[in-house]
Amino acid sequence: MEKEKDLTSASDSERTDGEISVPNQQSVDLRSKLNLESDPGTNDAAVPPPDVVPDGGLTAWLQVLGSTAILVNTWGLINTFGVFQAYYEQTLLSSHPPSSISWIGSTQASLLFLVGVFAGPLYDAGYFRHLLITGMFLIVFGQFMTSLCTEYWQVLLAQGFCMGSGMGMTFLPSAAILSQYFARHRALALGIASAGSPVAGTVFPIIFSKVEKSLGFGWATRVIAFILLAMSAIPVAFMKTRVPPHKGKKSLFDKSLFKDGPYMSFTAGGFFAFLTLYVPFFYITLYGTSQASVSDSFAPYLVTMLNAGSILGRIIPNALADKFGCLNLMLVCIATSAVLVFGWLGVKDLAGSVVFVLLYGAFSGGVVSLVPSVVVELSPDLSRVGTRMGFGFIVSGTAVLIGTPIAGAVLGGESANARWVPTVLYAACGLLIATLLYSTARFLQYRKKGGW
């Protein structure tokens, strides 16, 4: 009886600190052996310690490496779309207005979020590997097909829908799985993994610009596709879940989230944040050439520098978040991003453009990379992280889908008569509203937990 009490106590301890309440299968087997085979007089020290999050080790850091590769293949490509937008407007799809071309990139980015409504529950149910392999295939296949496209509908289908669906299958699980391997350093692990996005966003535009000039659009796109194929091998080879899925019945939505004030305020803020966050990513190249005296040859490198600044923005805020709180750092990043976009109106030369893209890349990168950490922080337990991320991704994905096309419609189709002031104010005001809603979430969380 004492042995059973000890084991029950150990099992209960596995439910502390927000960990998933399902015991590790090896732990269950070992306990069964102890109950059946051990001498009743065995010392209590023979009972194995409860299963805890490793917070490091080779296997854990291989998950970070795999997640980094996934971020290269997902957000890295989305952050590169600025150079595709400029190329399509000037060459391949020059007969279409900027707002129509923006639908390609916004569809890709929105599906990364929207598919999460299905990927989240499927991840919670134990289908991580299925999502990973299928998603990686769709991303690589879509990139290769884009290299063959000559019509608008073909580009929208390949680069928008096909690649976007693959991104949605892989991005959410790649973030959620790190919560199984890291607790104290979870935000840092997520930040390091998310650095793959700006690294790719820095390298891919340079590759595209160089290869497109010498070999054309088709081979420029295929070279990137081969890189994506190589990167896909890393998560497929190394990534795996550590905790078995919860055996209970899982629903598509966690109904309790609608009664969670901090989470709902944060999700509402996410709508306005992602409605406008990517306007500079899509339009900085055009703004540079038309308003800031940036040469056509140098303008694509503004996207590169935007992503270069984002590298530090993905790591430093996440490292600080483990100490000062994820939502607190999110507030700093979103508020500063709003101020910078208001300041975008004053950028009139090359030097100002460079300073703007480096700073905005850093703080907007913090906004994107901190979202999974905040969702985990606001979730009651890890067994509902995937579902809650999925619901939040519906809201954010809808915003991304319509955000940049709205900016394109405000901007207008004629570059000579482009309405840049209303476009920039649209982006800045959206980020300002997001700041207010995130502040509300922080206040409600303070009232709920009693601490900052």
Side-chain angles (χ1 to χ4, degrees):
M1 291 298 292
E2 289 184 2
K3 180 67 66 178
E4 292 176 357
K5 290 180 180 178
D6 289 338
L7 293 173
T8 302
S9 176
S11 179
D12 289 341
S13 67
E14 290 172 351
R15 295 169 169 82
T16 62
D17 296 327
E19 293 304 315
I20 291 178
S21 59
V22 183
N24 184 281
Q25 187 61 46
Q26 294 179 348
S27 178
V28 172
D29 295 340
L30 186 52
R31 290 171 186 173
S32 300
K33 291 180 181 180
L34 285 170
N35 281 331
L36 295 175
E37 300 173 7
S38 61
D39 191 318
T42 302
N43 190 291
D44 288 343
V47 179
D51 187 22
V52 294
V53 178
D55 248 327
L58 178 61
T59 302
W61 287 109
L62 283 175
Q63 309 312 303
V64 176
L65 177 63
S67 185
T68 303
I70 291 174
L71 266 293
V72 168
N73 287 20
T74 53
W75 281 111
L77 285 174
I78 291 173
N79 290 348
T80 306
F81 188 76
V83 294
F84 284 94
Q85 172 92 18
Y87 177 81
Y88 292 153
E89 288 187 28
Q90 297 168 4
T91 308
L92 186 65
L93 304 175
S94 58
S95 61
H96 296 268
S99 59
S100 297
I101 296 173
S102 292
W103 279 106
I104 300 169
S106 65
T107 297
Q108 185 184 76
S110 67
L111 284 174
L112 180 146
F113 287 110
L114 293 174
V115 174
V117 69
F118 305 106
L122 287 172
Y123 165 80
D124 288 339
Y127 292 97
F128 171 74
R129 296 285 298 177
H130 303 75
L131 291 167
L132 177 65
I133 294 172
T134 304
M136 289 290 99
F137 169 78
L138 289 176
I139 293 171
V140 175
F141 178 74
Q143 184 73 11
F144 274 115
M145 291 299 100
T146 301
S147 70
L148 304 176
C149 295
T150 57
E151 301 290 337
Y152 176 83
W153 68 268
Q154 295 172 341
V155 180
L156 179 63
L157 183 63
Q159 194 171 19
F161 284 98
C162 182
M163 296 181 68
S165 298
M167 292 174 182
M169 291 182 185
T170 55
F171 172 62
L172 186 151
S174 75
I177 194 175
L178 296 185
S179 65
Q180 294 190 10
Y181 289 88
F182 294 90
R184 295 191 309 275
H185 306 299
R186 180 184 297 135
L188 177 60
L190 285 164
I192 294 173
S194 67
S197 166
V199 169
T202 301
V203 175
F204 285 164
I206 297 175
I207 293 175
F208 181 86
S209 299
K210 296 292 185 182
V211 179
E212 188 275 326
K213 290 178 180 178
S214 58
L215 299 177
F217 170 78
W219 271 108
T221 308
R222 280 190 286 274
V223 167
I224 295 176
F226 281 115
I227 295 174
L228 299 179
L229 179 62
M231 297 301 296
S232 299
I234 297 174
V236 171
F238 297 119
M239 295 189 79
K240 59 182 179 180
T241 55
R242 184 184 66 87
V243 179
H246 184 61
K247 298 300 182 182
K249 184 179 179 181
K250 303 292 294 184
S251 60
L252 191 61
F253 290 106
D254 175 14
K255 296 180 181 179
S256 66
L257 62 85
F258 295 107
K259 300 178 181 179
D260 191 332
Y263 173 80
M264 291 304 296
S265 296
F266 178 76
T267 302
F271 175 84
F272 288 97
F274 285 97
L275 184 73
T276 54
L277 190 71
Y278 283 95
V279 172
F281 281 85
F282 278 46
Y283 293 104
I284 188 61
T285 301
L286 291 175
Y287 183 90
T289 55
S290 63
Q291 302 294 309
S293 303
V294 179
S295 65
D296 291 339
S297 60
F298 188 83
Y301 292 100
L302 291 176
V303 178
T304 298
M305 287 185 285
L306 193 62
N307 285 284
S310 188
I311 295 174
L312 293 178
R314 302 298 177 111
I315 298 175
I316 294 177
N318 282 269
L320 295 174
D322 285 320
K323 181 177 181 180
F324 297 105
C326 299
L327 195 47
N328 294 333
L329 267 295
M330 174 67 85
L331 271 173
V332 174
C333 291
I334 191 70
T336 307
S337 296
V339 171
L340 287 169
V341 175
F342 276 113
W344 190 12
L345 288 171
V347 174
K348 300 299 181 182
D349 54 24
L350 176 60
S353 298
V354 170
V355 172
F356 170 75
V357 295
L358 289 174
L359 290 176
Y360 186 76
F363 286 97
S364 64
V367 172
V368 175
S369 64
L370 283 166
V371 168
S373 300
V374 176
V375 173
V376 173
E377 187 177 88
L378 297 179
S379 297
D381 59 74
L382 292 183
S383 66
R384 285 182 273 186
V385 165
T387 303
R388 288 205 168 200
M389 280 189 184
F391 177 78
F393 282 8
I394 295 177
V395 177
S396 300
T398 303
V400 171
L401 177 64
I402 63 177
T404 50
I406 291 175
V410 173
L411 182 64
E414 295 290 336
S415 59
N417 300 316
R419 298 183 293 270
W420 283 107
V421 172
T423 303
V424 173
L425 289 177
Y426 157 74
C429 290
L431 294 175
L432 182 60
I433 295 172
T435 302
L436 296 175
L437 288 168
Y438 284 169
S439 298
T440 302
R442 188 65 197 91
F443 176 71
L444 293 175
Q445 183 73 348
Y446 166 75
R447 294 185 62 184
K448 184 176 180 180
K449 294 290 183 70
W452 295 107

